[in-house]
Amino acid sequence: MRIAAPVLASVLTLIVGSIFFASLGHDPLPTLYAFFVEPLSSMNGLSEWLLKASPLILIACGLAIGFRANVWNIGAEGQFIMGAVAASGVGLFWSDPDSALLLPLMFLAGMAAGMAWAAIPAFLRSRMNTNEILVTLMMTYIATLFLSYLVHGPWRDPAGFNYPQTALLPAAAMFQSFDPAYRLNSSIFITVVAVFLMWLFTDRSFLGYKMSVSGAAPLAARYAGFRESAAVWIGLLAGGAAAGIAGMAEAAGPLGQLSPQVSPGYGFAAIIVAFIGRLNAFGIVLGGLLMSLLFLGGEGVQMTLALPSALTRIFQGILLFFLLAADFFIFYRIRLVRPAPDAHALETAR
Amino acid sequence: MNELTRRGFLKYSGALGAALATGGLSTIARADDVLKIGVVYVSPIAEIGWTKQHSLGVEAIKSEFGDKAKLTVIDNIFMPQDAERVFRELASAGNQLIFGTSFSHGTPMQKVAPRFPKIAFEHCSGIVHLANLGTFEAKYYEGTFVAGAAGGYMSKSGKIGFIGGFPIPDIVGPANALLLGAQSVNPNATCNAIFLNSWFDPGKEKEAAKTLLSQGCDVICSMTDTATGVQVAGEGGAWSIGYASDMSKFSSGKQLTSFVLDWTSDYVGAAKAVAAGTWKPEVRWDGLAAGVVKMAPYNDGIPADVKAKLKQLEADIGSGKVHPYAGELKDQDGNVKVAAGSVLSDDGIRGMNWFVKGMIGKLS
Amino acid sequence: MHPRLELRNISKRYPGVVANDDVSLSIQPGEIHAVLGENGAGKSTLMKIIYGAAHADSGEIYCDGNLILAHNPAMSRALGIEMVYQHFALFESVSVVENIALSASSAFNLPSLAEKIRELSLRYGMPIDPHRQVHDLSVGERQRVEIVRCLLQAPKLLILDEPTSVLTPQAVVKLFDTLRQLAAEGCSIVYISHKLDEVQELCDTATVLRNGKVTGTARPKETTSLELARMMVGSKLPEMHVSPAAPSEKPVLEVRDLSAKARDHFGVDLKDVSFNVHGGEIVGLAGVSGNGQAELIALLSGERRHGQGDAIKINGTPAASLRPDERRKLGLAFVPEERLGRGAVPSHTLWENAVLTAHRFGTVRKGLVDRRRAAAFASGIIDRFKVKANGPAATAQSLSGGNLQKYIVGREIALAPKLLLVSQPTWGVDVGASAFIRQTIVDLSRAGTAVFVVSEELDELFEICDRLLVICQGRVSPPLLRTSTDREEIGLLMTGRTMGKDQTGSSSVALQD
């Protein structure tokens, strides 16, 4: 069932999508082809695919650790921004712009900033029992405005006609591309490591086990003496660290400078990715790749078939809707139908 | 049929082969006569506004070239990360001329252009020029100066209201010129300015417009991507000044004028130059004289003699007889920024991050 | 005259359980008829069958002398059978009249419906303003809404499922007045309860169920509580082997002057609780549900902490302010009354649930869960305690209540505790498994462990405990030796009557919940 659900969702999407495109006068097959295959049919396309999927997967891994414990960090966008800000600050103002240490320092700065930004809601939740959903979201707005202040004010590029953006980061502050012709850079390895760590943490570690108990049955966690505040702290800090690193990688990768807009909504899209991936490391990788492909495919059909962007967005919505809906119904099956077959199995086993 | 063979080809040649094939297209495409042009919009095309005016430029190329041009348009690309990918894709797809239409497209275009030295890039509202990256921009301040003069004539309170998207020089400068225009006919005129920190936020813009009305402003100019400011002003019985498109139909008949942007010459000019092989990166910065900025028909409520004066002002700015930023100009604190007898330099205009005396509000 | 409702030989089985076995009963018009029984005795299933929400495997239902062939809730309503559920199904955000309109089967007109509600509720002495929002109503008022909703249908038979479990004593008095008035007007009432005093006060006849079977019918007003209780609980339990206790010299658990405020307004404040439990003995805590047991057990287990550390000592160490895992290091193990969601994570497998408390026993190494060892640990429990499960990979929620209870008891005993707390050890567990669990607990204590058992089943406590405590209104009685006390004394203590200061205590005597 766990595998059948996404397959079913995909088939439904293809059917509904075909009807949708056909009804608007677009031949469905070439449209779907342009949406899902063509973006991946060139090296550049593959590079862009991974480049966009990488931050989504990275952030979703961090968020899922919290989500598994019912810690709802929906402010990854803000943590992402703070990570980008802190890392860029180091990159722009470090005394030696050619230092080989620059990139590692930026990594640490980005991670620390993301964690610090997530630590505020963690503190408020564990000490004052505030709702972390609201606080993390509010913190996102603060981060956005803080970034805006920096690029309009003290960090503005002195040579940039007063436009709100910083100077470009020095070369030593940028991740190396694998090939100068493509944008994919070595930060993808961070995501690979993060996925492994996420798997290790959630699937194998005792800490991850405690978090999953907190999420699935808070009373059982209290019964066993697992600290709720530990789950809150770990959940939020993991998300903050991942988002902060992703922000750093974005600044030191595709962006190369700060402007008032550093995130194309990665912090929010990663929430969807985490849920498409069922909060599981492997699923998140697939979810991130799918999400990224949806973006690229949306542009692809605009380019090759001149479909308006509104249509592509509707199609993206249909796919996400089916995927999440399929999950929802599966979730219900597990709860309602399972006990019966198990009981029967017991009967026959006797 | 084309699709089928292409698909079949891809199936057998694999991703790498496809990449080579598409990479090779750019040179092949030059051999035929069809000019391939890519355009990236920052938002979807609406009834009015920034992207609508760019789409008119694109339409002009279509009617000028007919079958001889193939246009690929991607809309709703704002973030630099996404823009870089799209520019790259458009370049790899064999477009010979590529337009970016937003300031946020600048950095990505600077990164992509050097990789495709044979392709012409044109960036609207850009500030950086490269061997194959040209820029074009409008002198908004000429439009706002004339519109401000109209406001100065028509305002009873002498208070002009201004709503801007972001406090960047491209908006701050025109806001200053709006007030300077008003002061040219009413030296006591002031201007309240509010920035939304968004190009498109009708909710906030409505609040801003209401605030300005309550502050006593009876002429409101809104430099955003919506007609909300014009609409709220009209509903509140105040005069309004439109931007980018003629917004009179939203204004309850109260639009004094609008400084309309017409990029046709930029689009068609660049396309013709590329087709003829004579394209060179230029820094084009035009206003009333070249028709890139046009004043929409003046409101019938403006007396005929005033209309005549405004028309004369348009002509004088076009001819250079009147310069909106002619000295003496003081900033909000009374410091002289431009001495009497001189005018603000072009760099000074493009980097204007200060308010002239009489502006009420802060630049954060 | 035909009975209003007659059940003949109703049987219903679920996989592994016989819920109703050859049940027959008959209810006359205007009669208030109690259905008495322990949890799991089959009362709820029987009510669902009467209401048509479940179908009997065999047997017949007659209403006013007519055989009902295809039964369902719609049919019930057509026959004038209405049911007030234990858990109300009201929409919080709309008014009373809108709530009732939502469930109306026929066309209605809101103002006239509101007028009807006002009129009916006044007539039956339970006034409700039809325009109030439901979220403003107290629990008792919500119940009135449910009852009025039924009354609007002019029912001939009204079923109430444990209606007083959520009510204050004053509200109970009012409810009984209403029910008597209804009965006097000819409406039959089926009153499901396990509270003997209420049944004796209100009902004309009682049918007692045990393990799905009718064990007797009685006129409660003419029958003693003890007789009714015996019918409910029975006395044919397997023989237990309980050797004499050899208590350790020093107490393992010491509770001194423990007082605590209730955490919510449903709870009870604990007042100056003091007692000891020695190694090798079993101390039981008797009492009517909701007299502070939940608070006490949470304070003992560490799920709730107390500022005054030495109010609770485990093996001489002040423990009241320690977390549960810290107390477990001192040798504590604990079987909570809720198995799913507290004692075990429902969606987790049995081996994962072993790690919940057995993580110090080799199932976690270097911060990583050792799946193989956890599975071996779980298999050990499954074998030793004869848990019926599909191996260690079965989810906790796939087990029956009794099997999961055996698994949790087994897990806690496998931790080799010095002190075992057990709350409601055999709730909803079948007779055989109950006896096994009790025997296991006795054996553990005889091996030297101190055991503290909280139960609402007096039989159980008398069977296994060496000393008994009684809790009432948050106060705990001095200990009584099992051998020198009897049910009567305990029962009186449970009502608070002999505890001097506390004359206001609840008078309800419940043997079991």
Side-chain angles (χ1 to χ4, degrees), chain A residues 52 162 180-181 254 257 262 309, chain B residues 75 81-82 88 107 111 115 351:
Chain A
K52 199 157 181 78
N162 289 321
Q257 72 187 135
V262 298
S309 66
Chain B
D75 67 15
Q81 299 97 309
D82 295 331
R88 214 176 257 268
T107 308
K111 289 188 194 165
R115 297 206 181 282

Side-chain angles (χ1 to χ4, degrees), chain C residues 333-350:
Chain C
F334 170 41
V335 179
E337 63 186 60
E338 298 93 351
R339 288 141 212 168
L340 280 177
R342 187 165 166 199
V345 181
S347 54
H348 280 186
T349 62
L350 291 183

Side-chain angles (χ1 to χ4, degrees), chain A residues 91-109:
Chain A
L92 288 169
F93 302 114
W94 189 253
S95 54
D96 177 7
D98 298 323
S99 166
L101 283 175
L102 198 52
L103 206 53
L105 282 173
M106 287 168 66
F107 176 86
L108 292 177

Side-chain angles (χ1 to χ4, degrees), chain B residues 296-320:
Chain B
Y298 291 104
N299 194 294
D300 290 339
I302 301 177
D305 60 324
V306 176
K307 276 190 193 171
K309 285 181 189 166
L310 293 170
K311 294 262 186 210
Q312 186 56 45
L313 182 59
E314 284 182 48
D316 288 346
I317 292 174
S319 69

Side-chain angles (χ1 to χ4, degrees), chain B residues 282-295:
Chain B
E282 286 182 287
V283 181
R284 288 194 309 283
W285 191 25
D286 297 311
L288 289 167
V292 172
V293 177
K294 290 191 170 107
M295 302 311 291

Side-chain angles (χ1 to χ4, degrees), chain C residues 387-428:
Chain C
V387 179
K388 283 174 195 134
N390 278 343
T395 59
Q397 64 199 354
S398 72
L399 268 62
S400 73
N403 275 306
L404 186 58
Q405 180 73 348
K406 283 200 274 185
Y407 183 79
I408 293 171
V409 169
R411 179 187 69 197
E412 297 303 299
I413 286 175
L415 304 179
K418 297 194 178 72
L419 169 64
L420 178 69
L421 307 177
V422 191
S423 191
Q424 314 298 352
T426 59
W427 243 11

Side-chain angles (χ1 to χ4, degrees), chain C residues 61-303:
Chain C
I61 306 174
Y62 293 84
C63 187
D64 291 324
N66 302 313
L67 177 66
I68 304 175
L69 285 172
H71 201 26
N72 58 48
M75 166 77 86
S76 281
R77 266 174 261 134
L79 291 168
I81 301 174
E82 291 289 333
M83 183 150 175
V84 177
Y85 287 95
Q86 204 172 348
H87 305 285
F88 312 134
L90 296 173
F91 296 96
E92 298 264 336
S93 53
V94 298
S95 71
V96 169
V97 60
E98 285 161 330
N99 253 292
I100 290 177
L102 280 169
S103 66
S105 46
S106 51
F108 58 85
N109 157 323
L110 227 48
S112 72
L113 186 63
E115 194 42 49
K116 253 179 160 175
I117 292 169
R118 194 188 307 276
E119 195 184 303
L120 255 179
S121 65
L122 275 176
R123 180 141 70 90
Y124 288 99
M126 41 180 190
I128 314 172
D129 176 357
H131 298 295
R132 274 180 73 191
Q133 302 286 304
V134 166
H135 62 81
D136 286 339
L137 302 181
S138 71
V139 182
E141 288 170 316
R142 287 175 196 214
Q143 189 177 52
R144 289 181 184 180
V145 176
E146 286 280 347
I147 294 175
V148 166
R149 162 149 77 189
C150 295
L151 294 185
L152 278 170
Q153 310 297 321
K156 290 197 264 180
L157 178 75
L158 187 62
I159 307 170
L160 296 112
D161 188 3
E162 305 266 4
T164 60
S165 58
V166 291
L167 297 186
T168 63
Q170 294 77 7
V172 171
V173 172
K174 280 191 183 158
L175 173 68
F176 283 7
D177 288 343
T178 303
L179 295 181
R180 286 195 192 100
Q181 189 184 346
L182 269 172
E185 291 171 10
C187 179
S188 304
I189 291 167
V190 178
Y191 187 89
I192 306 169
S193 182
H194 63 267
K195 293 186 181 167
L196 295 180
D197 58 339
E198 288 179 0
V199 170
Q200 285 177 310
E201 188 186 337
L202 179 72
C203 301
D204 307 312
T205 47
T207 297
V208 187
L209 290 181
R210 186 172 75 230
N211 294 336
K213 286 187 186 143
V214 175
T215 51
T217 48
R219 299 204 153 266
K221 286 169 186 162
E222 298 156 15
T223 315
T224 65
S225 305
L226 207 62
E227 283 173 87
L228 286 175
R230 197 161 289 150
M231 282 190 244
M232 267 170 75
V233 179
S235 51
K236 47 147 198 168
L237 288 168
E239 272 302 301
M240 289 278 304
H241 177 71
V242 184
S243 58
S248 64
E249 203 171 305
K250 283 187 185 160
V252 175
L253 174 67
E254 289 172 84
V255 180
R256 282 289 158 274
D257 301 325
L258 178 67
S259 298
K261 285 261 169 237
R263 259 184 305 190
D264 53 53
H265 57 272
F266 300 112
V268 173
D269 297 346
L270 291 180
K271 294 155 201 151
D272 298 327
V273 175
S274 297
F275 63 90
N276 288 341
V277 183
H278 293 257
E281 71 164 348
I282 302 178
V283 175
L285 182 73
V288 178
S289 177
N291 270 291
Q293 292 98 323
E295 286 77 10
L296 180 59
I297 203 82
L299 282 161
L300 291 177
S301 71
E303 287 161 308

Side-chain angles (χ1 to χ4, degrees), chain A residues 51 174 183 185 249-257 266, chain B residues 80-81 84 111:
Chain A
L51 184 77
M174 300 287 291
R183 288 205 292 166
N185 60 54
E250 199 69 7
L255 279 174
Q257 72 187 135
Y266 284 155
Chain B
Q81 299 97 309
E84 184 174 343
K111 289 188 194 165

